[in-house]
DNA sequence: GAGTATCTTGAATGAACATTCAAGAAAGAG
DNA sequence: CTCTTTCTTGAATGTTCATTCAAGATACTC
């Protein structure tokens, strides 16, 4: 008797991870209890521990899923179907709107978790830093491409531009948490855009 | 028999609040236990509850103390004893060095608590937002003064300059948590400075 | 020095928490 | 249909936490 094919877990891993993501974004990692997570994911404690080892493992898995989802979103914004400046502006506008919404589900899990856990957990810190660095690199490539195509004229190196842009977005997201008027956020984003693209 | 003058609390309020500040900055509000706080402050639970109502009250008091301490620091940096550009550069350099140190005691409690608690606690959010707005206003005044004295030549309004500077610092502090090379932080701060003062 | 109002102490309390585990359900193989 | 493996379930566990409170210590008034 050889048993090769056995039962699979019944839940949808992506769905579960996206529910966990929103739960973590809503209350932060520490304030999100296992009870919150069982409610959000629909999984029972045992299933979570079986699939993800523990609460921290669920966070790490959710971070991976988040990273993947945001990557796909990024590729859609920079599909090279429109002029670079238009694509960059749309991308930034989207972030500004997420900020304005004040909806925790539209925040950035990476930044949120980084701020909460960077000093507490080296592995989480490393995972997040890597994702953010990849994002920064992807932006660098976009700036570089725009320079090569002649759309972007500047003597500043592409990686400096990407870095500054990233810093601006970190700042924007924190600024948004002081609940400023939407105009203020638009103006700040616009200034960031001008600083990079003129 | 009229008893007017009674015993005072024996602890030094400022010292206690500064200890609490560092404890909160080290682990964040939620992860800092009352046990951590009794160790850090040297106070017994009962004393803390008597003086500050509860853990949250201690945070609110610590935030007030932090705000006051940072205000004094700000006044020292902008004492009008040196050219505006020098003072601004020194101020920014100081922040960059705090970022480079990776010492949680040198982080910004306001930003840290804002990121952790903004969505959870309206009163804490309001207290922090007010402090940060005051800081921004103080910066606006410095830019305005520099324009009046002819040191700063720009057609951008002072409050826009201050806002952008503040956003940059929020961004810088988050960026620092990804542990970049010190040069990168210096370069980012320099670019922020250039963008405002040219 | 006696009396009293106030502050200090830290063990006790109960709630909330992450995690475990044994019993039950389900599905593929023969 | 039966057996075995795997997954699911959720109550039980032990820990940690914020908070309380009654007993003790202290300093001021008269």
């Amino acid at each position: 008797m050889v048993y090769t094919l056995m039962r699979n877990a019944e839940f949808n891993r992506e769905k579960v991870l996206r529910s966990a993501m929103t739960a973590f974004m809503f209350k932060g990692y520490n304030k999100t209890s296992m009870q919150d997570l069982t409610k959000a994911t629909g999984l029972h404690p045992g299933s979570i521990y079986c699939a993800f080892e523990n609460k921290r493992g669920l966070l790490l898995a959710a971070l991976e899923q988040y990273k993947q989802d945001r990557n796909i979103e990024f590729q859609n914004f920079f599909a090279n179907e429109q002029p670079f400046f238009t694509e960059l502006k749309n991308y930034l506008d989207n972030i500004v709107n997420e900020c304005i919404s004040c909806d925790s589900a539209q925040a950035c899990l990476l930044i949120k978790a980084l701020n909460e856990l960077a000093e507490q957990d080296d592995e989480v810190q490393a995972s997040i830093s890597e994702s953010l660095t990849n994002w920064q690199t992807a932006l660098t490539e976009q700036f570089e491409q725009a320079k090569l195509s002649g759309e972007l004229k500047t003597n500043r190196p592409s990686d400096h531009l990407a870095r500054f842009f990233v810093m601006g977005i970190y700042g924007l997201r924190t600024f948004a948490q002081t609940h400023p008027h939407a105009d203020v956020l638009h103006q700040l984003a616009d200034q960031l855009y001008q600083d990079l693209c003129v």
Side-chain angles (χ1 to χ4, degrees), chain A:
Chain A
M1 274 181 284
V2 180
Y3 299 93
T4 46
L5 280 169
M6 279 293 129
R7 293 178 64 197
N8 286 322
E10 278 170 11
F11 61 84
N12 176 333
R13 195 183 155 92
E14 292 199 2
K15 262 193 180 176
V16 162
L17 289 178
R18 295 211 182 93
S19 311
M21 269 164 39
T22 7
F24 284 135
M25 287 200 266
F26 188 55
K27 287 196 174 183
Y29 175 74
N30 283 310
K31 261 286 167 187
T32 306
S33 66
M34 282 306 290
Q35 216 175 354
D36 292 331
L37 289 168
T38 54
K39 262 189 212 166
T41 60
L43 260 51
H44 293 254
S47 305
I48 294 181
Y49 280 81
C50 178
F52 305 105
E53 182 106 22
N54 53 24
K55 184 182 162 186
R56 180 170 170 276
L58 180 55
L59 175 72
L60 285 166
L63 284 170
E64 279 305 307
Q65 182 66 49
Y66 185 82
K67 170 185 170 172
Q68 194 182 307
D69 289 357
R70 285 289 199 186
N71 273 349
I72 289 167
E73 192 197 29
F74 185 93
Q75 299 303 332
N76 289 336
F77 271 104
F78 293 98
N80 291 326
E81 287 167 355
Q82 290 173 290
F84 170 70
F85 285 142
T86 312
E87 291 188 340
L88 186 70
K89 189 101 189 61
N90 287 342
Y91 185 69
L92 190 53
D93 271 352
N94 181 250
I95 292 173
V96 171
N97 287 328
E98 286 182 350
C99 288
I100 290 170
S101 78
C102 284
D103 173 8
S104 64
Q106 293 191 55
C108 176
L109 180 60
L110 296 175
I111 299 180
K112 183 144 179 111
L114 182 72
N115 277 311
E116 185 180 354
L117 302 169
E119 281 151 340
Q120 295 292 308
D121 188 320
D122 286 349
E123 193 182 340
V124 170
Q125 200 273 347
S127 162
I128 296 174
S129 289
E130 196 209 311
S131 302
L132 292 173
T133 305
N134 286 344
W135 173 48
Q136 203 179 305
T137 306
L139 278 165
T140 304
E141 281 163 16
Q142 292 302 322
F143 280 114
E144 188 61 25
Q145 211 173 300
K147 278 164 94 171
L148 290 172
S149 74
E151 289 177 276
L152 177 61
K153 293 175 218 307
T154 175
N155 49 6
R156 283 152 72 186
S158 299
D159 61 332
H160 285 209
L161 292 172
R163 231 186 254 163
F164 195 74
F165 187 67
V166 163
M167 178 183 84
I169 289 168
Y170 293 159
L172 208 58
R173 292 206 111 112
T174 301
F175 203 104
Q177 289 190 289
T178 64
H179 296 323
H181 198 282
D183 298 347
V184 172
L185 289 179
H186 276 121
Q187 189 268 322
L188 278 169
D190 202 57
Q191 183 158 347
L192 182 64
Y193 176 80
Q194 299 290 334
D195 275 358
L196 290 172
C197 296
V198 178

